Amino acid sequence: MLDLHASGPTSNYAEDITSRLQKIFKAGDTNQDGQLDFEEFMQYLKDHEKKMKLAFKSLDKNNDGKIEPSEVVQSLKILGINISEKQAEKILQSIDADGTMSVDWNEWRDHFMFNPATDIEEIVRYWKHSTVLDIGDSLTVPDEFTEEEKKSGQWWKQLLAGGVAGAVSRTGTAPLDRLKVMMQVHGSKSNKMNIASGFKQMLKEGGVRSLWRGNGVNVVKIAPETAIKFWAYEQYKKILTKDDGNLGTIERFVSGSLAGATAQTSIYPMEVLKTRLAVGKTGQYSGMFDCAKKILKREGVKAFYKGYIPNILGIIPYAGIDLAVYELLKTTWLEHYASSSANPGVFVLLGCGTVSSTCGQLASYPLALVRTRMQAQASVEGAPQHNMVGLFQRIIATEGIQGLYRGIAPNFMKVLPAVSISYVVYEKMKQNLGIA
């Protein structure tokens, strides 16, 4: 009998083996007695071989009993992932035992017999660009879920885990986020607010609690935004699906961008409330409902959509560069470092996701700054009410190009802790929710 109670070693290889064993144990232990006996193990092998045969046949497009690089390229293209034949050869090299640059059924079976990945989608999922990395901005393209995940209910568990991770991450980095907003709104050539003076000013004005001002709204908006974005993404994908039933990379990007715009439109008043609370003084508002009531009374409904245009325009450079950089990093890793496995390991995935998200943020930052100033300018005494173009012109004329990047230092400072917190909490939530 096999009784598995293991905590994985630190190396990627050892973690990969431990993860595989745990999945085999979970799949094979049919009577749920915490042990895997010989009969259960043999039944697992038979069932697993059937699934591997189906996966092999789905890749073997010309039914010649061999999987070739061109067939791997074709299969991944159906899933919306474009790779070169050279990259496909890299994938097959780790399976190809006889060096023929093609994989027959025996090689396929021998390689995947003790690998719980039963289909090509599960193998590709290593590199799925997950939105679990919450760095405080909500402009990423939504996550992708397989039909199996949707049917089994795994999708909502993953969204819930991601939502909780985002809430904890945003709360942990809220002081840096508020400092960023304060520097965006109040920073100028005459008021040279830096990180130290900004924190000192906030603590003096409202004490330690004031560092989390506006965080409540930032956390509350996660749930409706995630739900609307996921629903809208599925609807746009249906509309943009090609006649052959496939969805290409461009279609996915367009679907994701439109879904992001739909979600942002729906929850945008909460973005305005977050900014107003963050720049507000102690005692100005008793909470988000009081803030909403006072804005509505003094400025009307249109105040809840100030800065909407630069916010929507920011989705395209953010999501586009985020995806492009991630694909570039993924391709580079697969071509130069994927020797024995397509699994890059946790640190490579986290690194790629963090770098790509940061690049997307950098590209869209001027639009984000203008959006924040437009949201806040009515609450700043004596501030002129500019539109988007007028505000861009004024900032460049009075502060230069660097004026469009005020507050970017605390923004980048929060990336690493935000990613670390969201990943750790996400993994813990996955365990608690029973997500494989």
Side-chain angles (χ1 to χ4, degrees):
M1 291 184 185
L2 175 62
D3 194 355
L4 189 65
H5 299 286
S7 59
T10 54
S11 70
N12 286 340
Y13 178 75
E15 283 179 357
D16 199 29
I17 293 295
T18 303
S19 176
R20 290 184 192 184
L21 286 173
Q22 286 172 337
K23 286 182 180 178
I24 291 169
F25 183 83
K26 190 175 179 180
D29 184 21
T30 52
N31 60 9
Q32 305 294 311
D33 64 351
Q35 294 181 326
L36 188 66
D37 58 34
F38 182 73
E39 287 77 14
E40 287 175 324
F41 184 59
M42 290 305 294
Q43 188 58 47
Y44 163 79
L45 291 180
K46 287 178 185 175
D47 293 342
H48 191 55
E49 187 165 351
K50 286 178 188 174
K51 290 177 183 176
M52 286 191 297
K53 192 75 175 175
L54 288 172
F56 182 84
K57 284 183 176 178
S58 73
L59 280 168
D60 183 19
K61 301 294 181 188
N62 58 7
N63 295 313
D64 65 348
K66 292 182 292 185
I67 298 172
E68 293 159 352
S70 59
E71 291 172 320
V72 174
V73 172
Q74 190 180 346
S75 296
L76 292 182
K77 193 172 184 180
I78 291 170
L79 296 174
I81 297 169
N82 295 307
I83 65 169
S84 64
E85 285 222 13
K86 189 178 178 184
Q87 290 171 316
E89 286 172 9
K90 280 269 188 184
I91 293 170
L92 291 182
Q93 272 175 7
S94 61
I95 309 172
D96 179 23
D98 57 12
T100 58
M101 280 318 300
S102 63
V103 174
D104 60 26
W105 162 242
N106 290 327
E107 289 171 321
W108 179 266
R109 182 191 57 203
D110 292 346
H111 182 81
F112 286 111
M113 180 57 79
F114 295 107
N115 185 341
T118 52
D119 57 42
I120 192 66
E121 286 194 33
E122 197 167 336
I123 295 163
V124 167
R125 210 175 300 152
Y126 280 141
W127 277 104
K128 187 169 73 173
H129 191 180
S130 178
T131 56
V132 65
L133 304 179
D134 190 310
I135 59 173
D137 285 290
S138 310
L139 305 181
T140 50
V141 171
D143 218 340
E144 210 53 67
F145 295 105
T146 63
E147 288 303 317
E148 187 184 342
E149 285 172 326
K150 289 173 190 172
K151 288 174 185 174
S152 66
Q154 291 279 318
W155 66 273
W156 71 262
K157 290 182 179 180
Q158 288 189 38
L159 286 179
L160 177 60
V164 172
V168 176
S169 170
R170 291 182 187 196
T171 302
T173 58
L176 285 166
D177 191 62
R178 189 184 173 215
L179 176 61
K180 176 195 77 174
V181 173
M182 294 290 283
M183 290 175 75
Q184 285 178 332
V185 175
H186 298 297
S188 64
K189 274 190 174 181
S190 57
N191 180 21
K192 293 183 179 178
M193 184 187 290
N194 56 32
I195 292 167
S197 65
F199 272 124
K200 191 176 177 181
Q201 187 178 316
M202 288 191 293
L203 288 168
K204 186 180 178 181
E205 191 274 328
V208 175
R209 279 188 65 187
S210 71
L211 298 179
W212 277 267
R213 201 172 285 164
N215 181 60
V217 184
N218 202 27
V219 169
V220 168
K221 72 185 177 74
I222 291 174
E225 184 173 19
T226 303
I228 294 166
K229 192 188 283 188
F230 175 68
W231 174 82
Y233 187 47
E234 293 300 313
Q235 304 312 308
Y236 288 125
K237 280 201 298 182
K238 286 176 187 173
I239 295 168
L240 294 172
T241 299
K242 297 173 184 175
D243 294 333
D244 58 3
N246 296 331
L247 197 71
T249 304
I250 294 172
E251 287 81 9
R252 284 174 197 273
F253 169 65
V254 172
S255 300
S257 297
L258 289 172
T262 304
Q264 283 285 300
T265 302
S266 305
I267 60 94
Y268 192 76
M270 296 179 84
E271 294 278 2
V272 175
L273 288 177
K274 177 207 157 192
T275 300
R276 290 292 182 91
L277 286 165
V279 299
K281 294 177 181 177
T282 302
Q284 188 174 351
Y285 306 112
S286 60
M288 64 173 132
F289 293 110
D290 181 53
C291 181
K293 195 165 72 175
K294 286 178 176 174
I295 292 172
L296 187 63
K297 187 178 178 181
R298 291 172 189 166
E299 302 168 52
V301 176
K302 65 179 182 179
F304 290 105
Y305 280 89
K306 284 188 176 178
Y308 174 77
I309 293 173
N311 185 66
I312 292 298
L313 291 176
I315 290 174
I316 298 167
Y318 187 108
I321 290 172
D322 182 19
L323 285 177
V325 172
Y326 187 82
E327 286 298 313
L328 176 64
L329 293 171
K330 179 184 82 172
T331 302
T332 303
W333 191 90
L334 284 171
E335 285 185 351
H336 296 98
Y337 303 104
S339 53
S340 59
S341 170
N343 182 3
V346 170
F347 292 112
V348 173
L349 284 175
L350 281 178
C352 291
T354 303
V355 170
S356 63
S357 296
T358 303
C359 289
Q361 215 176 46
L362 184 63
S364 63
Y365 194 84
L367 285 163
L369 180 136
V370 168
R371 173 204 67 195
T372 305
R373 286 208 182 175
M374 288 179 73
Q375 288 170 344
Q377 61 187 0
S379 65
V380 179
E381 288 182 26
Q385 304 298 299
H386 293 288
N387 60 21
M388 183 181 75
V389 176
L391 201 49
F392 262 116
Q393 289 173 339
R394 182 173 180 273
I395 292 169
I396 292 170
T398 58
E399 304 173 47
I401 296 295
Q402 68 264 34
L404 295 171
Y405 287 89
R406 293 208 181 273
I408 202 163
N411 189 62
F412 282 164
M413 280 174 67
K414 73 174 185 169
V415 168
L416 194 57
V419 167
S420 304
I421 294 167
S422 60
Y423 178 75
V424 170
V425 175
Y426 181 72
E427 287 300 310
K428 195 68 183 172
M429 282 297 298
K430 277 174 63 180
Q431 288 176 18
N432 293 337
L433 293 169
I435 303 172

